[in-house]
Amino acid sequence: MVAGAPGDARGVLLRAAPSGENWAYIAFSLSPAPLPGGLYPEFSEARRRADRVAAERAWLAALWTERTTVRWDLRFTGDPVSGRIGTVLIAQLYGADRAAALRAVRDTLPALARLPAHVTGTRVEDTDEIARLLAPFVPGWGAIAEIRKRITCRTLTRAWGAERIATTVSRFDANDPSWDRIWAQLAAEPRRTVISVCLEPCAAPAGLAAGLTMRAQAFGTLAVPGRPDPMYGLPVPGDPFAREAHGLYEEAARRCAGRLHRARISVAAEGEAPVSDVLTGLIAHTVAPTSSGAVVVRPQSPQEHQVACGNLLGVNRDWQWEAYWQGVPAFLRTPSEGQQLWLSDPATVTALADLMDPDETAALFRLPHEEPGEPELFALQRGSPHTSGPGTPTNNTNTGGPDMGWTDFGGTGV
């Protein structure tokens, strides 16, 4: 639930591009709502968890939009001094000009502000504070990483035309996972550390499901024994990796339809030392516990470090060429002109690496909560609850914003 009227458009940070386009940022400070019934509520922990999951899924479904330039960024920031976690929800909205960006804010606020009942939200109206939440610090080299879907590339024992190399993309297979261990580790980190989960609503790309189905069929053919070898008279055995690829592509064809999201998970720490392997490993295991389908990637060059920082500080989703491809050979990333790849199509791989179905999205975007008897990890909301009177809301905007120190990291890109 949110304190204040959802239609209020105050507290909008605007960033303008030289072309006149604008990106509007609004933020809500979040904290767990008090449990009903005091320390010993009527319902069991399992019942409360099921209710929370259902409420978060319904809220995400209501947030989905056909706008192609909207992103939600859920950020958890650990404070080593207090041992508490600050939680903020940031929305980035695009407009062709200042007025269009503000209209996008007004259109989005009602659904955004209807948070599930187990979360309390306070609108952040100070634009300087929004800027600080966007860029709490600039991570040093090695102090930022992202969690991605695992991309696997293998040479097959059987050829498909001229191809003998196959590439697959795993999925995040967690079923409504608990983030309690992640939050506990974040609160215990010795440096200020932020976890950013960014979602961008999108529809399934045209032709994706059909392309995935055809690739699943190709891998299915390679997975079963082929015709007997004319020289030896023995059947050609099916390829084990093709069997794995067949299952992944068949499932992707079924799931990659309708309302989807593109996602980015960033983890960054203040200073130059590498970000915690324990924390990043926990996130990867939490979102893909069964198949180990998540991998921690780190920028491979100064240019990629700049991209990774821009993703975090500017609510972006820009591609890191080396880190994201996870060792896939260059000739499979950019096929030569006229070459058609069925088993390692780069467009299909990049689409699957970014896309999340509703189950995956719900596993990533977990709002803060606490249970009786457990350590209190989350900071209370700062500031007074926002309220507004009747009539047209007053816009408190900042067209230039303060010097955020992240312009060079792509802070005004989409």
Side-chain angles (χ1 to χ4, degrees):
M1 57 184 176
V2 167
D8 197 323
R10 289 179 295 181
V12 181
L13 174 65
L14 289 173
R15 300 290 294 178
S19 60
E21 299 169 311
N22 276 251
W23 288 264
Y25 298 87
I26 55 176
F28 288 88
S29 177
L30 307 182
S31 61
L35 287 172
L39 186 59
Y40 302 101
E42 177 182 357
F43 298 121
S44 67
E45 180 178 347
R47 169 69 181 275
R48 289 195 300 274
R49 176 173 176 169
D51 288 347
R52 285 195 301 263
V53 168
E56 289 176 4
R57 282 175 172 263
W59 176 69
L60 281 170
L63 271 183
W64 195 91
T65 173
E66 293 183 350
R67 290 180 181 269
T68 58
T69 49
V70 175
R71 291 176 188 147
W72 325 117
D73 195 326
L74 179 61
R75 298 191 174 195
F76 303 97
T77 303
D79 177 18
V81 176
S82 66
R84 296 296 182 91
I85 299 171
T87 310
V88 64
L89 175 64
I90 300 173
Q92 179 202 64
L93 304 104
Y94 167 82
D97 52 32
R98 181 178 182 276
L102 291 175
R103 283 197 300 272
V105 170
R106 287 193 291 269
D107 292 344
T108 302
L109 269 173
L112 187 66
R114 283 194 288 268
L115 289 162
H118 62 276
V119 182
T120 298
T122 298
R123 179 81 178 276
V124 179
E125 296 190 354
D126 183 346
T127 54
D128 288 347
E129 177 68 1
I130 296 175
R132 189 196 65 78
L133 292 169
L134 278 168
F137 51 82
V138 177
W141 175 257
I144 188 168
E146 294 186 19
I147 287 79
R148 301 280 300 175
K149 291 185 176 181
R150 185 180 296 278
I151 299 175
T152 306
C153 190
R154 293 285 187 272
T155 300
L156 301 176
T157 58
R158 299 175 60 187
W160 180 265
E163 294 182 69
R164 202 156 193 161
I165 300 178
T167 305
T168 62
V169 180
S170 299
R171 68 178 299 269
F172 291 162
D173 55 15
N175 182 23
D176 302 327
S178 169
W179 276 54
D180 291 349
R181 292 179 63 196
I182 298 173
W183 293 329
Q185 180 62 38
L186 177 62
E189 287 294 317
R191 298 177 292 162
R192 272 206 306 166
T193 302
V194 60
I195 300 173
S196 162
V197 182
C198 178
L199 295 181
E200 179 183 272
C202 67
L208 177 62
L212 293 173
T213 298
M214 287 188 290
R215 282 166 177 80
Q217 292 170 348
F219 283 115
T221 299
L222 297 174
V224 299
R227 294 180 179 178
D229 185 283
M231 180 175 294
Y232 299 103
L234 298 175
V236 178
D239 187 273
F241 187 70
R243 286 195 293 272
E244 179 182 343
H246 169 71
L248 286 171
Y249 278 96
E250 191 174 52
E251 185 177 42
R254 185 172 62 254
R255 290 180 172 273
C256 289
R259 296 183 172 188
L260 306 174
H261 287 84
R262 297 185 180 94
R264 168 187 52 77
I265 308 173
S266 298
V267 184
E270 192 171 23
E272 299 293 330
V275 69
S276 167
D277 288 334
V278 175
L279 180 59
T280 55
L282 266 177
I283 299 173
H285 178 72
T286 298
V287 299
T290 304
S291 63
S292 297
V295 62
V296 180
V297 301
R298 301 173 187 272
Q300 300 298 300
S301 66
Q303 293 74 22
E304 287 198 343
H305 175 75
Q306 188 175 24
V307 171
C309 290
N311 284 343
L312 172 65
L313 307 180
V315 192
N316 294 334
R317 283 194 326 96
D318 294 332
W319 186 271
Q320 298 177 47
W321 184 252
E322 293 296 333
Y324 284 8
W325 274 111
Q326 303 170 36
V328 172
F331 70 88
L332 294 178
R333 310 178 196 177
T334 53
S336 57
E337 187 175 355
Q339 182 183 13
Q340 175 67 45
L341 296 178
W342 275 94
L343 307 184
S344 296
D345 175 48
T348 303
V349 170
T350 54
L352 288 180
D354 281 341
L355 287 175
M356 304 287 164
D357 62 49
D359 290 340
E360 293 173 306
T361 300
L364 298 181
F365 222 68
R366 300 310 309 270
L367 298 176
H369 65 267
E370 289 178 342
E371 285 292 335
E374 297 295 328
E376 295 182 355
L377 299 176
F378 295 96
L380 298 177
Q381 297 180 49
R382 292 165 296 175
S384 302
H386 166 66
T387 57
S388 64
T392 304
T394 301
N395 294 332
N396 177 20
T397 60
N398 184 334
T399 55
D403 182 6
M404 297 185 184
W406 50 268
T407 304
D408 292 338
F409 296 102
T412 60
V414 287

